[in-house]
Amino acid sequence: MEIVFLNRLSKRNEQGCEDFAQVWIGQHEGRWSAGWSTHHVPDESIDDLWYEGSLWQELLHVYRHELALKMAEGYRPLIHGVFHEQKGSSGRGQTLQKLYCYSDLFPRDEVYEQLTMWRRQKAATERKAPYLIATNRLLRLISVYLPHTEEELLELPGMGQGKVSQYGTELLTITKQNDRTTPFPLNWVTETLEEEVFLSWLYKQKENQYRQELNKFSLTRAIIEGISEGLSLEHIGIKTGLHRKEVIEAVEHLDRDGMDMKKLILKELEHVSEEEQTAICSAYAELGDTLLKPIMLKVYGEEKATEAGLDQIYERLRLVRIRFRHQEVPDRHVG
């Protein structure tokens, strides 16, 4: 095997001594591998194979996730850039990350519960999704730093002038009921947080991010494999654990990314007459392909669509829309 990347890492153990490890990526006859070697005593190591396969992108997702776990444990690299990604945030971006870090490490749960109860009531009154009023992260910041003025509210990331004008008075009514032990401005946070504590928190955030990316990649790969194997939407759903509607949404996304969906669409539409498909395409040409309801009403009518089953009709419309958009591509480039 040819080693194409190798880096040494270390961390201090409970006895104050350094533990050493190596992370590596190798390649042999078109197959990639990545792993971790822990060195407990000279000339003795324990190897952990993280990945072995033919897909570089899959290796990268697994490698980043596993490495973030190790760095959250306290391992630090001899040479930076171990994640093989664009340079991380610095300056203002890192300052904001430290505000988030402190709020995670020193929560005020009782205040946070007050704020979430206020948000639920406000969302019900305004008929909005709760996150549109304030995200969990923003409420966490407010609960920990306890601003007492509108100017202090504006110091918190995610709290713009619009939200302050709309909700500031109500939020301050809650925060002023609670004693605070830390001042504004918040520049003390950077000085208070120990660098190693912050780095471990930061790598934990990376681990969560990379786990989500790995799950998404694995799911996408399973869908692509299912399509290439000639599976139906139903069987792809069984293979991936997704609801049928979620599979169609994934298929639409993959189509936009340039994946060939013809095989699957032909399979799913084989019981739909050419006359019906032509009527749907004609409706798209006349009304546009953004909204599905006008197409449904024009082709089927409300009563007929309800009788046939709205879920089935909308699924059919979405699949035909993929075909329609590919048929329309040459016309869009004319002239």
Side-chain angles (χ1 to χ4, degrees):
M1 179 179 66
E2 177 185 1
I3 297 294
V4 298
F5 172 79
L6 179 68
N7 204 337
R8 191 184 194 201
L9 301 94
S10 64
K11 75 167 183 177
R12 291 211 168 270
N13 57 33
E14 295 178 354
Q15 290 73 38
C17 300
E18 281 193 303
D19 289 333
F20 294 97
Q22 288 182 333
V23 63
W24 52 268
I25 296 175
Q27 189 267 349
H28 179 66
E29 296 182 351
R31 292 185 65 80
W32 294 99
S33 57
W36 176 269
S37 300
T38 305
H39 301 274
H40 294 287
V41 295
D43 302 322
E44 182 180 328
S45 65
I46 298 176
D47 297 328
D48 183 11
L49 183 64
W50 289 348
Y51 176 83
E52 188 171 35
S54 58
L55 299 177
W56 167 256
Q57 284 299 321
E58 185 175 26
L59 173 142
L60 209 52
H61 284 299
V62 173
Y63 165 86
R64 286 172 173 167
H65 174 253
E66 295 292 339
L67 181 58
L69 282 171
K70 293 295 184 182
M71 295 183 73
E73 293 175 6
Y75 279 98
R76 298 293 176 260
L78 179 64
I79 302 173
H80 293 288
V82 287
F83 286 108
H84 300 275
E85 61 180 6
Q86 294 181 348
K87 190 175 180 181
S89 61
S90 59
R92 171 67 175 166
Q94 191 170 92
T95 299
L96 296 182
Q97 290 294 320
K98 289 187 175 181
L99 292 181
Y100 297 137
C101 174
Y102 185 91
S103 68
D104 283 350
L105 296 177
F106 303 98
R108 293 282 298 269
D109 291 333
E110 70 285 356
V111 186
Y112 182 73
E113 287 301 319
Q114 287 180 276
L115 290 168
T116 54
M117 184 179 299
W118 165 82
R119 182 179 62 179
R120 279 196 300 271
Q121 295 170 347
K122 185 60 64 175
T125 301
E126 298 185 1
R127 296 184 177 180
K128 289 182 179 178
Y131 73 88
L132 292 176
I133 295 171
T135 63
N136 291 341
R137 172 156 274 182
L138 177 56
L139 293 188
R140 183 70 69 187
L141 291 171
I142 295 171
S143 69
V144 170
Y145 297 115
L146 294 172
H148 284 182
T149 67
E150 290 189 354
E151 290 73 20
E152 291 177 350
L153 266 175
L154 286 169
E155 281 197 46
L156 302 179
M159 197 75 210
Q161 186 61 58
K163 284 192 186 296
V164 170
S165 300
Q166 197 169 7
Y167 305 122
T169 301
E170 296 175 56
L171 289 169
L172 293 176
T173 299
I174 296 172
T175 58
K176 288 178 180 178
Q177 295 173 2
N178 296 274
D179 295 330
R180 75 181 188 193
T181 58
T182 55
F184 279 78
L186 300 175
N187 47 19
W188 57 268
V189 174
T190 298
E191 300 169 2
T192 301
L193 273 178
E194 294 181 12
E195 190 65 15
E196 278 302 309
V197 171
F198 170 64
L199 286 176
S200 292
W201 173 87
L202 189 63
Y203 290 127
K204 182 61 179 175
Q205 310 312 302
K206 282 183 174 290
E207 185 270 320
N208 291 332
Q209 172 195 338
Y210 293 143
R211 183 178 65 251
Q212 292 174 9
E213 291 176 0
L214 175 59
N215 291 341
K216 182 179 178 181
F217 179 88
S218 300
L219 196 61
T220 300
R221 182 183 176 188
I223 293 172
I224 293 172
E225 288 176 349
I227 293 171
S228 66
E229 293 167 6
L231 298 183
S232 64
L233 284 173
E234 181 180 356
H235 286 96
I236 292 174
I238 294 172
K239 179 185 177 79
T240 59
L242 294 177
H243 186 273
R244 191 177 177 94
K245 185 177 179 181
E246 293 175 311
V247 177
I248 294 179
E249 290 173 352
V251 166
E252 289 177 321
H253 182 77
L254 288 170
D255 177 73
R256 288 193 295 269
D257 287 346
M259 297 296 299
D260 187 356
M261 298 291 113
K262 291 179 183 177
K263 186 175 181 179
L264 176 65
I265 292 173
L266 284 173
K267 185 178 186 67
E268 293 298 322
L269 295 177
E270 61 185 359
H271 299 300
V272 181
S273 68
E274 282 298 325
E275 182 182 2
E276 185 176 344
Q277 293 187 51
T278 300
I280 295 171
C281 288
S282 297
Y284 279 132
E286 179 183 345
L287 303 176
D289 61 10
T290 303
L291 300 177
L292 293 176
K293 188 170 183 178
I295 307 300
M296 179 271 289
L297 292 173
K298 183 172 182 61
V299 177
Y300 301 97
E302 188 83 56
E303 185 176 344
K304 184 178 178 182
T306 302
E307 290 175 359
L310 286 176
D311 288 343
Q312 182 179 347
I313 292 298
Y314 276 115
E315 177 183 302
R316 189 173 301 175
L317 293 178
R318 294 171 78 171
L319 292 172
V320 173
R321 181 168 61 182
I322 294 174
R323 289 186 63 182
F324 170 78
R325 285 173 172 171
H326 285 289
Q327 292 168 0
E328 286 289 287
V329 168
D331 296 335
R332 291 173 186 169
H333 290 289
V334 173

